[in-house]
Amino acid sequence: RKEVEQDPGPFNVPEGATVAFNCTYSNSASQSFFWYRQDCRKEPKLLMSVYSSGNEDGRFTAQLNRASQYISLLIRDSKLSDSATYLCVVNMGMDSSYKLIFGSGTRLLVRP
Amino acid sequence: GAGVSQSPRYKVAKRGQDVALRCDPISGHVSLFWYQQALGQGPEFLTYFQNEAQLDKSGLPSDRFFAERPEGSVSTLKIQRTQQEDSAVYLCASSPMLGRSGEAFFGQGTRLTVV
């Protein structure tokens, strides 16, 4: 079983749609969580951190369920420019170590 | 430059050749990571440095892979006797933070093709 698992998609949605991605992780001791975005043939870039209480950044909402070891990302009012691969990332380092483990990514296609 | 810089951007190696990939992190960043990304997959963790100390090398796939960061800034990933399965994009990232939080900034990667 992979340490961080995501549905690869693709999710093909019309502009304006709401779409949700899910991610599960294996290490219950993990302390920090992120969503990264990766455009085709580009490097990953941080989209948002995920906090225990849930957090929102404009059209994007991230939530964490520690009991189920589950992270989600909700995108409202999808734009064409949201088309990308969304990577779920979990820090599985111990103590002061830093071991960012990436999921395989979920591909989103937003159509006109 | 202001970002993470990797060189070369593209490398074609004959099977059995040794290669060295360079990463210049953002100045002052303590943490440095190397990842391997195959087509259609997420980045796979290779190794992590905190300053010059290699704290985790559990992701290096074989003893043909070696990474160093001798002065706590520039890092080199070396692959000896390259094999076709080593073909991938090698990504370097750096972060100013220690430990559990903080954004990792990625370079554009080195695309290695072994023929």
Side-chain angles (χ1 to χ4, degrees):
Chain A
R1 182 188 169 197
K2 288 186 67 101
E3 294 174 290
V4 179
E5 294 203 68
Q6 297 181 248
D7 180 345
F11 285 64
N12 191 324
V13 303
E15 266 187 297
T18 296
V19 62
F21 307 137
N22 303 319
C23 166
T24 58
Y25 60 96
S26 61
N27 186 344
S28 60
S30 300
Q31 293 295 320
S32 52
F33 310 89
F34 311 90
W35 284 100
Y36 274 70
R37 169 188 169 135
Q38 187 171 28
D39 293 293
C40 189
R41 292 186 172 267
K42 299 286 189 181
E43 71 275 19
K45 292 184 179 178
L46 180 68
L47 177 66
M48 60 196 302
S49 301
V50 185
Y51 302 121
S52 297
S53 54
N55 50 298
E56 189 173 306
D57 183 1
R59 297 181 294 108
F60 299 84
T61 301
Q63 293 197 312
L64 168 66
N65 183 323
R66 287 188 185 273
S68 302
Q69 294 175 212
Y70 168 96
I71 305 159
S72 66
L73 177 68
L74 182 78
I75 305 176
R76 290 182 299 278
D77 188 24
S78 300
K79 311 292 185 191
L80 295 177
S81 57
D82 293 335
S83 296
T85 296
Y86 291 83
L87 297 160
C88 176
V89 185
V90 178
N91 181 11
M92 295 192 177
M94 301 301 293
D95 301 318
S96 64
S97 186
Y98 207 164
K99 186 174 184 178
L100 295 179
I101 303 298
F102 284 71
S104 296
T106 299
R107 193 168 167 217
L108 172 65
L109 301 172
V110 181
R111 63 181 188 271
Chain B
V4 177
S5 178
Q6 292 187 245
S7 60
R9 288 290 313 280
Y10 303 91
K11 176 70 179 177
V12 178
K14 291 185 178 179
R15 193 171 57 179
Q17 185 180 349
D18 296 350
V19 298
L21 312 181
R22 179 186 168 104
C23 174
D24 282 84
I26 295 171
S27 178
H29 277 198
V30 171
S31 297
L32 185 145
F33 314 81
W34 283 99
Y35 286 86
Q36 180 190 61
Q37 187 170 26
L39 192 64
Q41 299 296 313
E44 294 282 343
F45 174 85
L46 294 178
T47 187
Y48 164 64
F49 289 87
Q50 195 175 99
N51 296 308
E52 70 279 2
Q54 190 175 21
L55 296 189
D56 191 328
K57 55 181 180 179
S58 60
L60 296 176
S62 77
D63 59 8
R64 296 186 296 104
F65 286 71
F66 172 76
E68 59 183 5
R69 194 187 185 197
E71 296 177 359
S73 56
V74 171
S75 178
T76 304
L77 176 67
K78 297 179 179 177
I79 309 173
Q80 296 176 323
R81 305 181 303 281
T82 51
Q83 304 295 315
Q84 283 191 315
E85 63 262 28
D86 299 336
S87 295
V89 175
Y90 290 84
L91 292 164
C92 176
S94 70
S95 173
M97 306 296 290
L98 295 172
R100 297 169 183 273
S101 63
E103 178 176 357
F105 296 84
F106 280 82
Q108 292 183 296
T110 294
R111 184 175 298 274
L112 173 65
T113 304
V114 181
V115 298

